[in-house]
Coordinates of all heavy atoms in Angstrom, one line a residue:
Q1363 N 0.8 -1.2 0.0 CA 0.0 0.0 0.0 C 0.9 1.2 0.0 O 2.0 1.2 0.3 CB -0.9 0.0 1.3 CG -1.9 -1.2 1.3 CD -3.0 -1.0 2.4 OE1 -3.1 0.1 2.9 NE2 -3.6 -2.1 2.7
V1364 N 0.3 2.4 -0.3 CA 0.9 3.6 -0.3 C 0.6 4.4 1.0 O -0.5 4.4 1.4 CB 0.4 4.5 -1.5 CG1 1.0 5.9 -1.4 CG2 0.8 3.8 -2.8
Q1365 N 1.7 4.9 1.6 CA 1.5 5.7 2.8 C 1.9 7.1 2.5 O 3.0 7.4 1.9 CB 2.4 5.1 4.0 CG 1.9 3.7 4.4 CD 2.9 3.1 5.5 OE1 4.0 3.5 5.6 NE2 2.3 2.2 6.2
L1366 N 1.1 8.0 3.0 CA 1.4 9.5 2.8 C 1.4 10.2 4.2 O 0.6 10.0 5.0 CB 0.2 10.1 2.0 CG 0.0 9.5 0.7 CD1 -1.3 10.0 0.0 CD2 1.2 9.6 -0.3
V1367 N 2.5 11.0 4.4 CA 2.7 11.7 5.6 C 2.8 13.2 5.3 O 3.7 13.6 4.5 CB 3.9 11.2 6.3 CG1 4.1 12.0 7.6 CG2 3.8 9.7 6.6
E1368 N 1.9 14.0 5.8 CA 1.9 15.4 5.5 C 2.7 16.1 6.7 O 2.7 15.7 7.8 CB 0.5 16.0 5.5 CG -0.4 15.4 4.5 CD -1.4 14.4 5.0 OE1 -1.1 13.8 6.1 OE2 -2.5 14.3 4.4
S1369 N 3.2 17.3 6.4 CA 3.7 18.2 7.4 C 3.6 19.7 6.9 O 3.4 19.9 5.7 CB 5.3 17.8 7.6 OG 6.0 18.1 6.4
G1370 N 3.8 20.6 7.8 CA 3.8 22.0 7.5 C 2.6 22.8 7.9 O 2.6 24.0 7.7
G1371 N 1.5 22.1 8.4 CA 0.3 22.9 8.7 C 0.5 23.7 10.0 O 1.5 23.6 10.7
G1372 N -0.4 24.5 10.2 CA -0.4 25.4 11.4 C -1.3 26.6 11.4 O -2.1 26.7 10.6
L1373 N -1.0 27.5 12.3 CA -1.8 28.7 12.4 C -1.0 29.9 11.8 O 0.1 30.1 12.0 CB -2.1 29.0 13.9 CG -2.8 30.4 14.2 CD1 -4.1 30.4 13.6 CD2 -2.8 30.6 15.7
V1374 N -1.7 30.7 10.9 CA -1.1 31.7 10.2 C -2.1 32.9 10.1 O -3.3 32.7 9.9 CB -0.6 31.3 8.9 CG1 -1.7 30.9 8.0 CG2 0.3 32.3 8.2
Q1375 N -1.6 34.1 10.0 CA -2.4 35.3 9.9 C -2.8 35.5 8.4 O -2.1 35.1 7.5 CB -1.7 36.5 10.4 CG -1.5 36.5 11.9 CD -0.8 37.8 12.4 OE1 -0.2 38.5 11.7 NE2 -1.0 38.1 13.7
P1376 N -4.0 36.1 8.1 CA -4.3 36.4 6.8 C -3.2 37.2 6.1 O -2.6 38.1 6.6 CB -5.6 37.2 6.9 CG -6.2 36.8 8.2 CD -5.0 36.6 9.1
G1377 N -3.0 36.8 4.7 CA -2.0 37.5 4.0 C -0.6 36.9 4.1 O 0.2 37.1 3.3
R1378 N -0.5 36.0 5.0 CA 0.9 35.3 5.1 C 0.9 34.1 4.4 O 0.0 33.7 3.6 CB 1.1 35.0 6.7 CG 1.2 36.3 7.6 CD 2.3 37.1 7.2 NE 3.6 36.5 7.6 CZ 4.2 36.6 8.7 NH1 3.6 37.1 9.7 NH2 5.4 35.9 8.8
S1379 N 2.1 33.3 4.4 CA 2.3 32.1 3.6 C 2.5 30.9 4.5 O 3.0 31.0 5.6 CB 3.5 32.4 2.7 OG 3.2 33.5 1.8
L1380 N 2.4 29.8 3.9 CA 2.5 28.5 4.5 C 2.8 27.5 3.5 O 2.4 27.6 2.3 CB 1.3 28.0 5.3 CG 1.4 27.1 6.4 CD1 2.3 27.7 7.6 CD2 0.1 26.8 7.1
R1381 N 3.7 26.6 3.8 CA 4.1 25.6 2.8 C 3.9 24.1 3.4 O 4.4 23.8 4.5 CB 5.6 25.7 2.4 CG 6.1 24.7 1.3 CD 7.5 25.0 1.0 NE 8.0 24.1 0.0 CZ 8.0 24.3 -1.3 NH1 7.4 25.4 -1.7 NH2 8.4 23.4 -2.1
L1382 N 3.1 23.4 2.7 CA 2.9 22.0 3.1 C 3.7 21.1 2.3 O 4.0 21.3 1.1 CB 1.3 21.7 2.8 CG 0.3 22.6 3.5 CD1 -1.1 22.1 3.2 CD2 0.5 22.7 5.0
S1383 N 4.0 19.9 2.9 CA 4.9 18.9 2.2 C 4.2 17.5 2.5 O 3.7 17.3 3.6 CB 6.2 18.9 2.7 OG 7.0 18.0 2.0
C1384 N 4.3 16.6 1.5 CA 3.8 15.2 1.6 C 4.9 14.3 1.1 O 5.3 14.5 0.0 CB 2.5 15.2 0.9 SG 1.8 13.5 0.8
A1385 N 5.1 13.3 1.9 CA 6.1 12.3 1.4 C 5.4 10.9 1.3 O 4.6 10.5 2.2 CB 7.2 12.1 2.5
A1386 N 5.6 10.3 0.1 CA 4.9 9.0 -0.2 C 5.9 7.8 0.0 O 7.1 8.0 -0.3 CB 4.4 9.0 -1.6
S1387 N 5.4 6.8 0.5 CA 6.2 5.6 0.7 C 5.4 4.3 0.4 O 4.2 4.4 0.4 CB 6.9 5.5 2.0 OG 5.9 5.5 3.0
G1388 N 6.0 3.2 0.3 CA 5.4 2.0 0.1 C 5.4 1.6 -1.4 O 6.4 1.7 -2.0
S1389 N 4.2 1.0 -1.9 CA 4.2 0.6 -3.3 C 3.8 1.8 -4.1 O 2.6 2.0 -4.5 CB 3.1 -0.5 -3.4 OG 3.4 -1.6 -2.6
I1390 N 4.8 2.6 -4.5 CA 4.6 3.8 -5.2 C 4.9 3.8 -6.7 O 4.7 4.8 -7.4 CB 5.5 5.0 -4.6 CG1 7.0 4.6 -4.8 CG2 5.2 5.2 -3.1 CD1 8.0 5.6 -4.3
D1391 N 5.1 2.5 -7.2 CA 5.5 2.4 -8.6 C 4.5 3.0 -9.6 O 5.0 3.6 -10.6 CB 5.7 0.9 -8.8 CG 6.6 0.2 -7.8 OD1 6.3 0.3 -6.7 OD2 7.6 -0.4 -8.3

């Protein structure tokens, strides 16, 4: 199976920026 792990979420003020990332592992072929 494919496993997905997210990171980078949080609290931010309007107008600001945020970056999310996701790493995939397992049967990713």
Side-chain angles (χ1 to χ4, degrees):
Q1363 297 186 17
V1364 175
Q1365 295 178 335
L1366 303 173
V1367 180
E1368 304 105 328
S1369 62
L1373 174 65
V1374 65
Q1375 294 182 339
R1378 301 293 295 273
S1379 298
L1380 203 62
R1381 185 176 179 87
L1382 305 181
S1383 183
C1384 174
S1387 62
S1389 301
I1390 62 175
D1391 309 56

